[in-house]
Amino acid sequence: MADVAFNDVDKIYDNGVQAVFGLTLDIHDAEFLVLVGPSGCGKTTALRMVAGLEEISGGTVSIGGRVVNDVSPKERDIAMVFQNYALYPHLSVGENIAFGLRLRKEPKEMINERVAWAAKLLDLAPYLNRKPKELSGGQRQRVAMGRAIVRKPQVFLMDEPLSNLDAKLRVQMRADIAHLQRELQTTTVYVTHDQVEAMTMGDRVAVMANGVLQQVDAPQRLYDRPANLFVAGFIGTPPMNLLEATATVNGEVSVNLGGNVLPIAPEAIQQYPRLREYGGRPVIVGLRAGDLHPAQGRDDLPQIHATVEIVESLGGESMAYFRVDARYIKSEAAEEEAVLASEGTPETVVGSRPNLVASFPPHVHLRLRDKVPIAVDTKNLHFFDEASGAPLR
Amino acid sequence: MSSSELASTTAAAPAAAAAVKHPRSRLKFKDTWWRHAVGVVAMCAALFPVVYIVSSSFNSNSSLQSAQVIPSHVTLHNFGSLLHNNVKGNTGAKQDAPYPHWFLNSMLISLLTALATTVLGALAAYAFSRFRFKGRRGGMMGLLLIQMFPQFVAVAAIYLIVLNVGEVFPQIGLDKLAAVVIVYLGGAMGVQAWLIKGFFDTIPTELDESARVDGATAAQIFWGVVMPLAAPVLAVVALISFVFTLNEFVIASTILQTTSHKTLPVGMQLFISNSYDKVWGPFAAGALLAALPVAALFMFLQRWIVSGLTAGSVKG
Ligand SMILES: Nc1ncnc2c1ncn2[C@@H]1O[C@H](COP(=O)(O)OP(=O)(O)OP(=O)(O)O)[C@@H](O)[C@H]1O
Ligand SMILES: [Mg+2]
């Protein structure tokens, strides 16, 4: 067991591309840390530097207190699970799992014992004599896990290990892997671009964008207190609505959101006290889908008016997409490319697409193109500076 | 396209297809008969020497003119005289033809060369495929360019080198089998390395990396992961270089001089080199026997020449 520490780590590839900028991150012993971010943000690069498969251009990486910049992968005592599993096709499942132990010339009884242990843990016992090509995707994934756990390494490194599985299996394996990690208490760095995976699996989640670490926190804190606009737009399903508004401060604080004046609840001001300094200035307001309600029967809440664009019924709830007359920030999930193209802070855009999504109870009757009132629970709103993307805390 | 247009095209399509169908099937034989003709001619051309060799090897008459395709007397006499070094010319004079020696020499040289070529080629290919170093591109092009020069244009130089090296290391000097193998290996690295590299490139590097994290050294990855997966291409390369070496004449005839040190092509050439006394019978029998190991090797390697060996390594 060991902790892993990045200390001001840079990675510049031979072609001059800098994939990681000044990454500083401490991963505690026995922790399950998820590294999440959009495609191309440098997650894999960071993970491969821990594995020793990629040279470290600047800073240090240490495992268990030992700087490993110049230590070969073999001597780092880590195990890695690759996105495509990387099973040895000419070896049986049992031989695949035993591969690392055989290389280390462990005694035969010990190898057999460990392989049996791993196979039992992962329900692979009936398949030990099969070749990888005779297994299903989920079984292959478990073999890859088996190969990692059998050596009882200090650290597990996993690079999108579930991305080749279908949705249902992914949900199950998600739980299985998290459970296995808690059982084994092995420090784990898990890379994914799927924020749901990150939120459900990680003890803590590190969000990266464009090679820069944005925030490291427990999933719930990431959701409740995003450190900047990027994290706010990235974490959560559906992503947070981020709209441009103008603040007004005269004793009470309110924002003007596309012509709708929204008085802000004192709880929100407590969270974001600097909003008071933004009187007469534009701010970015973050509204979670769950804080928007149908107006009927919620006279206690202030309202905004928006045009109904799309309604998707999910059975237990309805996702309603509206348009408000305000500039907005494209959500990370929907518009990965746009954020990749814009360096640093996301920019607001004017568009004709829906810019406000609400999760409503089922059977709410909404007619397309109607302008309807929506009740807003302003206690949980988030506020950000438009230029820097910093929260107004 | 409007919807009415669309409807009319779909309606017209089956009719048009039906109209075309008939003439086309009649055209078929008219169009393609020549392919069959070419095929038959090519097959005859290819089989003619085989039939001829088989027939004359079982024929008691060792002159070509009087030989018939179906021998009047089927006999194993030619084989017998070959194996017992008892080949007699048409005049009745015994020729010095230690065929079993030649056979063994050829097998030894060809097997060693094939094996070493494959291993050397694979080693070079692994470096070119997996390592990034200065001169990688240049090295690969160089290999191919050097290979473009036929080896036998250098035969005078090779003769001199072997002669001089032999003064210091008699074991690899003139008239030694080892010398021939070494000269062959000098030409081994070109096309073979390219061929193998092409295959190595299709083996996912994640397998190497995974093995590295598991604690394998470069050598362990090469022998334990990459080589087993490359079995098909290795089998092909081994077979090609075996056949090539078995047939090679110029270098073998330059270096090997003692009759009993010769290889099959060089030795058997003696049977037909005398203008007035060509012994075709034993020659044909010898050629037939020499084809057996090639066929055997092919059968042996065939099971490795199967595709899809990497299936299941990656992806779901
Ligand atoms: N071997 C390489 N040489 C040069 N540039 C590279 C190399 N590998 C990755 N990059 C670049 O580094 C950046 C980060 O890549 P990385 O693979 O770490 O992204 P990622 O976050 O893992 O993305 P994904 O979710 O798509 O896997 C990208 O811009 C990529 O183009
Ligand atoms: Mg990646």
Side-chain angles (χ1 to χ4, degrees):
Chain A
M1 309 297 120
D3 53 348
V4 176
F6 291 89
N7 190 0
D8 200 18
V9 171
D10 289 320
K11 174 64 191 182
I12 303 166
Y13 280 108
D14 290 340
N15 61 2
V17 173
Q18 180 154 6
V20 173
F21 295 81
L23 175 63
T24 299
L25 174 60
D26 285 312
I27 301 153
H28 312 147
D29 187 18
E31 183 177 31
F32 195 124
L33 182 113
V34 180
L35 204 52
V36 70
S39 186
C41 72
K43 312 178 291 286
T44 298
T45 307
L47 193 74
R48 287 170 59 88
M49 285 192 285
V50 181
L53 295 171
E54 215 67 74
E55 234 167 79
I56 297 161
S57 314
T60 59
V61 170
S62 17
I63 299 176
R66 174 174 69 138
V67 173
V68 293
N69 284 34
D70 299 318
V71 178
S72 74
K74 180 181 170 172
E75 270 128 40
R76 294 188 186 196
D77 199 13
I78 43 154
M80 185 153 172
V81 179
F82 290 80
Q83 177 171 359
N84 50 22
Y85 318 147
L87 303 181
Y88 310 119
H90 58 299
L91 302 180
S92 70
V93 169
E95 290 166 333
N96 260 287
I97 296 178
F99 190 81
L101 294 174
R102 294 227 172 114
L103 284 176
R104 271 151 223 260
K105 304 239 159 39
E106 304 286 0
K108 223 180 185 107
E109 313 82 69
M110 189 265 217
I111 295 180
N112 291 340
E113 190 183 306
R114 285 279 190 88
V115 170
W117 166 77
K120 183 155 172 273
L121 215 54
L122 294 160
D123 284 330
L124 284 171
Y127 314 112
L128 282 179
N129 292 319
R130 293 209 198 160
K131 291 281 168 65
K133 65 164 175 270
E134 298 157 354
L135 297 180
S136 74
Q139 290 163 345
R140 283 179 206 178
Q141 209 287 325
R142 295 211 298 272
V143 178
M145 290 294 300
R147 212 170 50 182
I149 64 172
V150 75
R151 272 184 19 231
K152 304 204 169 159
Q154 301 215 24
V155 182
F156 290 146
L157 305 173
M158 307 190 192
D159 191 358
E160 313 215 14
L162 303 184
S163 58
N164 282 327
L165 301 180
D166 65 64
K168 207 168 157 193
L169 197 54
R170 193 150 56 208
V171 173
Q172 191 197 327
M173 284 304 296
R174 203 154 83 190
D176 288 354
I177 291 181
H179 178 78
L180 191 66
Q181 194 272 342
R182 299 250 133 113
E183 199 155 293
L184 300 176
Q185 290 287 309
T186 305
T187 315
T188 302
V189 187
Y190 184 105
V191 162
T192 179
H193 63 259
D194 178 356
Q195 56 92 16
V196 179
E197 225 167 272
M199 298 292 279
T200 50
M201 296 178 84
D203 291 327
R204 282 193 309 157
V205 176
V207 183
M208 278 182 82
N210 295 321
V212 180
L213 181 65
Q214 306 289 319
Q215 186 176 4
V216 199
D217 243 321
Q220 193 61 48
R221 278 188 62 83
L222 223 49
Y223 186 88
D224 292 338
R225 293 175 64 89
N228 58 34
L229 263 181
F230 178 85
V231 178
F234 188 76
I235 297 292
T237 316
M240 187 189 282
N241 301 294
L242 295 166
L243 298 169
E244 192 185 87
T246 317
T248 315
V249 182
N250 45 10
E252 298 290 285
V253 181
S254 62
V255 295
N256 185 324
L257 189 64
N260 305 283
V261 178
L262 265 183
I264 304 301
E267 288 93 333
I269 307 291
Q270 221 167 17
Q271 288 294 324
Y272 292 93
R274 278 176 59 217
L275 182 59
R276 290 188 172 283
E277 302 160 20
Y278 277 68
R281 284 162 60 187
V283 292
I284 302 289
V285 182
L287 312 94
R288 293 273 181 209
D291 292 326
L292 303 172
H293 308 282
Q296 293 101 320
R298 296 305 302 259
D299 301 331
D300 54 323
L301 298 177
Q303 294 179 352
I304 58 173
H305 291 262
T307 315
V308 182
E309 296 274 347
I310 307 166
V311 182
E312 290 173 345
S313 175
L314 302 179
E317 61 179 339
S318 288
M319 297 317 256
Y321 293 82
F322 300 94
R323 234 200 95 62
V324 209
D325 189 18
R327 293 166 67 87
Y328 65 103
I329 290 180
K330 286 188 187 173
S331 81
E332 173 55 37
E335 290 292 338
E336 224 158 57
E337 310 301 317
V339 174
L340 276 184
S342 69
E343 292 290 313
T345 330
E347 278 177 22
T348 54
V349 292
V350 200
S352 55
R353 304 209 339 221
N355 55 7
L356 186 70
V357 52
S359 107
F360 278 3
H363 312 301
V364 171
H365 189 70
L366 292 168
R367 278 228 317 271
L368 292 191
R369 304 259 137 233
D370 270 4
K371 198 155 191 167
V372 299
I374 304 168
V376 181
D377 190 348
T378 58
K379 287 199 297 291
N380 299 323
L381 294 191
H382 302 266
F383 302 92
F384 302 91
D385 181 78
E386 190 188 21
S388 70
L392 304 182
R393 281 200 273 266
Chain B
M1 193 187 278
S2 75
S3 63
S4 68
E5 248 179 302
L6 224 153
S8 69
T9 13
T10 44
V20 166
K21 199 171 180 181
H22 252 89
R24 192 174 277 168
S25 59
R26 235 182 291 134
L27 269 177
K28 209 170 174 184
F29 186 71
K30 245 174 149 185
D31 277 351
T32 59
W33 64 268
W34 59 270
R35 293 186 206 163
H36 300 276
V38 170
V40 168
V41 170
M43 213 161 73
C44 290
L47 282 180
F48 180 71
V50 178
V51 171
Y52 209 91
I53 288 288
V54 171
S55 109
S56 50
S57 66
F58 290 106
N59 204 321
S60 59
N61 194 335
S62 65
S63 89
L64 273 183
Q65 285 83 353
S66 53
Q68 303 121 313
V69 173
I70 313 272
S72 43
H73 300 93
V74 174
T75 167
L76 292 176
H77 173 255
N78 287 331
F79 295 93
S81 58
L82 266 183
L83 296 180
H84 298 113
N85 192 3
N86 190 24
V87 177
K88 298 212 172 65
N90 297 329
T91 53
K94 184 174 173 297
Q95 296 196 350
D96 180 23
Y99 182 85
H101 268 129
W102 299 339
F103 194 90
L104 282 180
N105 292 344
S106 265
M107 287 306 114
L108 208 63
I109 290 177
S110 302
L111 279 175
L112 274 177
T113 308
L115 196 75
T117 298
T118 312
V119 172
L120 283 178
L123 283 168
Y126 184 68
F128 281 124
S129 169
R130 290 300 199 261
F131 302 145
R132 295 289 172 271
F133 49 90
K134 269 216 178 75
R136 177 171 164 272
R137 281 186 67 86
M140 295 229 44
M141 293 314 285
L143 272 185
L144 203 61
L145 283 176
I146 291 169
Q147 186 92 28
M148 305 251 168
F149 296 100
Q151 216 174 8
F152 60 79
V153 301
V155 79
I158 288 172
Y159 179 81
L160 281 177
I161 292 173
V162 174
L163 182 74
N164 288 322
V165 166
E167 316 247 293
V168 189
F169 304 104
Q171 287 316 307
I172 50 171
L174 281 181
D175 212 24
K176 290 287 188 296
L177 300 187
V180 182
V181 173
I182 287 172
V183 172
Y184 286 159
L185 288 184
M189 209 73 89
V191 183
Q192 283 89 338
W194 271 82
L195 209 65
I196 302 173
K197 178 197 174 275
F199 197 94
F200 281 179
D201 286 347
T202 68
I203 298 175
T205 46
E206 277 95 341
L207 289 184
D208 299 42
E209 291 177 341
S210 173
R212 250 172 86 196
V213 174
D214 273 348
T217 61
Q220 282 169 325
I221 295 171
F222 178 74
W223 291 109
V225 177
V226 176
M227 287 296 264
L229 294 181
V233 76
L234 299 179
V236 169
V237 165
L239 193 67
I240 290 175
S241 77
F242 182 82
V243 172
F244 171 80
T245 320
L246 199 61
N247 287 325
E248 203 285 329
F249 181 84
V250 178
I251 289 171
S253 70
T254 313
I255 296 178
L256 303 173
Q257 287 150 351
T258 315
T259 310
S260 68
H261 286 183
K262 292 188 167 166
T263 59
L264 281 173
V266 182
M268 278 165 55
Q269 189 254 356
L270 294 177
F271 289 150
I272 52 169
S273 60
N274 191 331
S275 337
Y276 305 107
D277 194 10
K278 297 186 197 294
V279 281
W280 285 106
F283 181 82
L288 203 61
L289 286 180
L292 291 182
V294 179
L297 187 69
F298 180 75
M299 303 295 248
F300 174 70
L301 291 178
Q302 201 181 24
R303 64 179 137 150
W304 281 290
I305 311 179
V306 285
S307 56
L309 214 67
T310 48
S313 72
V314 295
K315 281 274 158 73

